[in-house]
């Protein structure tokens, strides 16, 4: 398949029977996607049903019923079938946005509790050598020559250092970071602005208060606590609440990740089932479809799984092989769409196939929750000064609102968390060391310095 794809692409570029060869390439790519996703889905389907609780099982059971009535029966899925599965995907994506927002919130409260622990429990250290800490951080940051690693380490430290700056200074840093996107793509600027808002919990996704009542109750408890007056008992209670919320989120996310993989692979099969060419179907794909036929819609999944035991060994290592086969074929899709799809705008079948393949391609991404309905243009609108200033005003207002009415501990935590998402805002290495020193020197809270020293040492130990 890889060799044929190379020949087809060469002929397309050279304008040798371009229209016919584009359609042949579409069929080849659809077949590669179909082979890969059928194998991956067959290996995940039983595991997904087994590990998910009854609520998540409803998603997988519904998908199995639709697949059994369409793809697994040799019938092309209708638009309604595809839309039903797509809506299940949207539903889980919405829940994941809520869980991600809770995760961001818990990190803010964890930051606060960490810095109150030494004071509450009487374990604060005297005579902390601030200059030694700053020097160790500086040396650790630049112990690697990789710029990405250097920047990541700086951001990790900024996220944990004490924050002693005015709201205006904080907002100035944010605005300066937004200014970097001037002349770039509007979409990139908007994505970054959204990241800043989400990090600060400046906006909450739909369902934040209703989808997970227990999480919302814990969030409210942590949000409304007076952290300046904690005793050991109350500290332990809040820590227990934080741990409980973390466990709830981890459990939900683990299940949703598996369910989303199953949904994504099911959609790939549905998008490509009417386009793939039988001559490219591998024996492994046939085995995978047999497994899926036995599992999908089965009343007793364990009994059904017993009938697949002899088939599973035939798929050992084939997911990796089919993916390696897919990658070089898939790599040319963006160029085909951008360079040649406009040439055949009157060919409705070709355009429909490109749209199905574009979505299927996005569904193979490691970003399971990617918005497949968002058609990313090759040329994006430029973020001029007026547009950048408008975004600055909106973000500044949202962050100001997020900080308003919060006690100093939560305000500082929000600032630290947001600053850690910023592109590195230092011009020289000396500025970095100076920032480390000033952040530590500006803190007269021994308990917070004690916590910072411990966390910074952990970072340097874990990442070294």
């Amino acid at each position: 398949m890889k060799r044929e794809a190379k020949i087809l692409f060469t002929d397309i570029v050279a304008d040798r029977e371009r229209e016919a060869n584009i359609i042949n390439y579409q069929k080849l790519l659809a077949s590669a996607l179909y082979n890969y996703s059928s194998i991956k889905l067959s290996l995940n389907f039983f595991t997904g049903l087994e590990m998910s609780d009854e609520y998540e099982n409803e998603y997988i059971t519904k998908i199995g019923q639709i697949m059994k009535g369409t793809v697994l029966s040799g019938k092309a899925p209708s638009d309604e079938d595809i839309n039903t599965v797509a809506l299940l995907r949207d539903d889980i994506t919405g829940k994941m946005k809520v869980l991600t927002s809770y995760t961001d919130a818990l990190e803010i409260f964890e930051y606060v509790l960490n810095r109150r622990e030494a004071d509450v429990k009487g374990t604060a250290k005297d005579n902390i050598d601030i200059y030694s800490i700053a020097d160790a951080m500086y040396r650790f940051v630049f112990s690697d020559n990789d710029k990405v690693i250097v920047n990541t380490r700086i951001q990790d430290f900024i996220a944990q250092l004490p924050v002693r700056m005015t709201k205006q200074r904080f907002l100035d840093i944010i605005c300066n970071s937004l200014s970097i996107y001037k002349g770039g793509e509007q979409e990139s600027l908007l994505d970054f602005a959204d990241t800043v808002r989400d990090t600060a919990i400046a906006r909450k996704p739909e369902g934040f208060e209703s989808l997970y009542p227990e999480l919302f109750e814990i969030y409210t408890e942590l949000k409304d606590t007076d952290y300046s007056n904690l005793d050991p008992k109350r500290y332990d209670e809040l820590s227990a609440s934080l741990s409980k919320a973390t466990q709830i989120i981890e459990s939900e996310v683990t299940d949703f990740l598996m369910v989303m993989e199953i949904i994504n692979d099911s959609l790939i099969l549905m998008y490509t089932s009417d386009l793939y060419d039988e001559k490219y179907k591998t024996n492994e794909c046939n085995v995978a479809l047999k497994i899926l036929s036995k599992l999908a819609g089965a009343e007793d999944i364990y009994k059904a799984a017993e009938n697949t035991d002899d088939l599973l060994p035939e798929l050992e290592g084939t997911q990796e092989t089919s993916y390696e086969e897919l990658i070089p074929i898939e790599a040319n899709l963006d160029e085909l769409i951008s360079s040649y799809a406009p040439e055949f705008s009157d060919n409705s079948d070709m355009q429909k196939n490109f749209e199905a393949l574009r979505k299927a391609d996005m569904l193979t991404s490691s970003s399971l929750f990617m918005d497949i309905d968002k058609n990313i243009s090759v040329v994006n609108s430029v973020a001029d000064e007026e547009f950048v200033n408008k975004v600055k005003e909106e973000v500044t207002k949202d962050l100001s609102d997020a900080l308003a009415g919060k006690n100093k501990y939560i305000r500082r935590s929000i600032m630290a968390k947001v600053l850690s998402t910023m592109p590195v805002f230092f011009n020289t290495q000396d500025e970095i060391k100076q920032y480390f020193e000033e952040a530590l020197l500006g803190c007269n809270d021994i308990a917070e310095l004690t916590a910072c020293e411990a966390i910074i040492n952990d970072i340097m130990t874990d990442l070294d």
Side-chain angles (χ1 to χ4, degrees), residues 211-441:
L211 282 176
Y212 299 96
E214 193 170 11
L215 286 178
F216 184 67
E217 183 180 343
I218 293 172
Y219 164 79
T220 303
E221 175 189 27
L222 292 165
K223 175 177 68 72
D224 294 341
T225 293
D226 179 5
Y227 290 96
S228 60
N229 293 301
L230 290 182
D231 56 32
K233 180 183 177 184
R234 184 60 179 146
Y235 175 88
D236 290 340
E237 289 172 350
L238 293 172
S239 296
S241 294
L242 190 68
S243 297
K244 184 178 182 180
T246 301
Q247 290 170 4
I248 293 171
I249 292 172
E250 287 177 350
S251 176
E252 290 290 313
V253 168
T254 299
D255 282 350
F256 281 147
L257 289 175
M258 176 59 75
V259 175
M260 190 57 103
E261 281 203 59
I262 290 170
I263 288 177
N264 286 352
D265 287 316
S266 297
L267 279 172
I268 291 173
L269 292 180
M270 297 175 84
Y271 283 131
T272 58
S273 64
D274 202 29
L275 184 57
Y276 82 93
D277 195 322
E278 283 283 350
K279 71 180 180 181
Y280 297 119
K281 185 184 282 187
T282 63
N283 177 62
E284 292 78 14
C285 176
N286 285 323
V287 171
L289 293 175
K290 285 181 184 178
I291 293 173
L292 286 170
S293 295
K294 292 178 183 295
L295 293 175
E299 293 184 7
D300 187 332
I301 61 166
Y302 294 100
K303 186 175 291 185
E306 290 176 3
N307 297 323
T308 67
D309 288 344
D310 58 329
L311 297 174
L312 287 172
E314 296 184 48
L315 297 183
E316 188 173 347
T318 60
Q319 179 178 324
E320 293 77 11
T321 303
S322 62
Y323 186 62
E324 290 172 3
E325 186 85 18
L326 168 64
I327 291 174
I329 305 173
E330 198 176 37
N332 294 318
L333 179 61
D334 286 344
E335 186 172 347
L336 287 174
I337 293 175
S338 61
S339 299
Y340 305 110
E343 185 179 337
F344 302 100
S345 58
D346 58 342
N347 188 328
S348 59
D349 286 341
M350 182 189 290
Q351 301 302 323
K352 181 181 178 182
N353 293 342
F354 268 137
E355 179 62 10
L357 290 171
R358 182 189 69 80
K359 289 184 176 182
D361 173 45
M362 294 175 78
L363 288 166
T364 65
S365 167
S366 58
S367 180
L368 297 178
F369 302 90
M370 180 179 289
D371 183 359
I372 62 173
D373 292 317
K374 186 177 182 180
N375 196 351
I376 301 173
S377 304
V378 177
V379 179
N380 204 318
S381 301
V382 175
D384 58 19
E385 185 172 0
E386 182 181 357
F387 186 82
V388 172
N389 287 338
K390 179 175 179 292
V391 174
K392 283 182 183 178
E393 289 177 11
E394 293 171 350
V395 172
T396 297
K397 180 182 183 306
D398 290 341
L399 290 180
S400 295
D401 290 345
L403 295 171
K406 303 292 192 303
N407 64 58
K408 65 180 181 181
Y409 297 105
I410 293 180
R411 284 202 310 273
R412 291 168 182 172
S413 178
I414 291 173
M415 287 183 181
K417 196 168 189 297
V418 172
L419 289 173
S420 71
T421 67
M422 296 294 104
V424 174
F425 47 86
F426 303 103
N427 296 315
T428 66
Q429 291 187 7
D430 286 342
E431 283 187 20
I432 295 170
K433 188 173 183 180
Q434 184 179 358
Y435 181 87
F436 292 164
E437 290 177 350
E438 289 180 354
L440 293 167
L441 286 168

Side-chain angles (χ1 to χ4, degrees), residues 111 115 133 160-162 440 447-457:
Y111 178 102
R115 280 146 187 78
I133 297 172
Q160 300 301 334
L161 284 169
L440 293 167
E448 184 169 3
L449 287 174
T450 301
C452 285
E453 181 184 39
I455 294 168
I456 288 166
N457 285 334

Side-chain angles (χ1 to χ4, degrees), residues 21 35 46 60 82 108 127 141 146 149 152 191 198 206 218 221 258 270 282 291 294 300 324 332-333 367 396 398 464:
N21 281 323
N35 288 337
F46 174 77
I60 302 176
I82 294 175
I108 289 171
N127 303 319
V141 164
D146 188 311
I149 293 176
T152 299
D191 286 344
D198 292 341
E206 184 179 352
I218 293 172
E221 175 189 27
M258 176 59 75
M270 297 175 84
T282 63
I291 293 173
K294 292 178 183 295
D300 187 332
E324 290 172 3
N332 294 318
L333 179 61
S367 180
T396 297
D398 290 341
D464 197 1

Side-chain angles (χ1 to χ4, degrees), residues 93-142:
T93 300
K95 290 182 172 67
M96 280 296 296
K97 287 180 179 178
V98 171
L99 293 170
T100 300
S101 187
Y102 274 117
T103 300
D104 286 331
L106 294 183
E107 288 176 357
I108 289 171
F109 300 126
E110 181 182 33
Y111 178 102
V112 175
L113 286 173
N114 282 342
R115 280 146 187 78
R116 296 296 297 130
E117 180 180 12
D119 183 46
V120 172
K121 297 194 172 182
T123 58
K125 293 173 60 177
D126 292 325
N127 303 319
I128 294 176
D129 191 337
I130 287 173
Y131 291 101
S132 292
I133 297 172
D135 185 60
M137 293 165 64
Y138 176 81
R139 284 186 284 106
F140 178 74
V141 164
F142 294 103

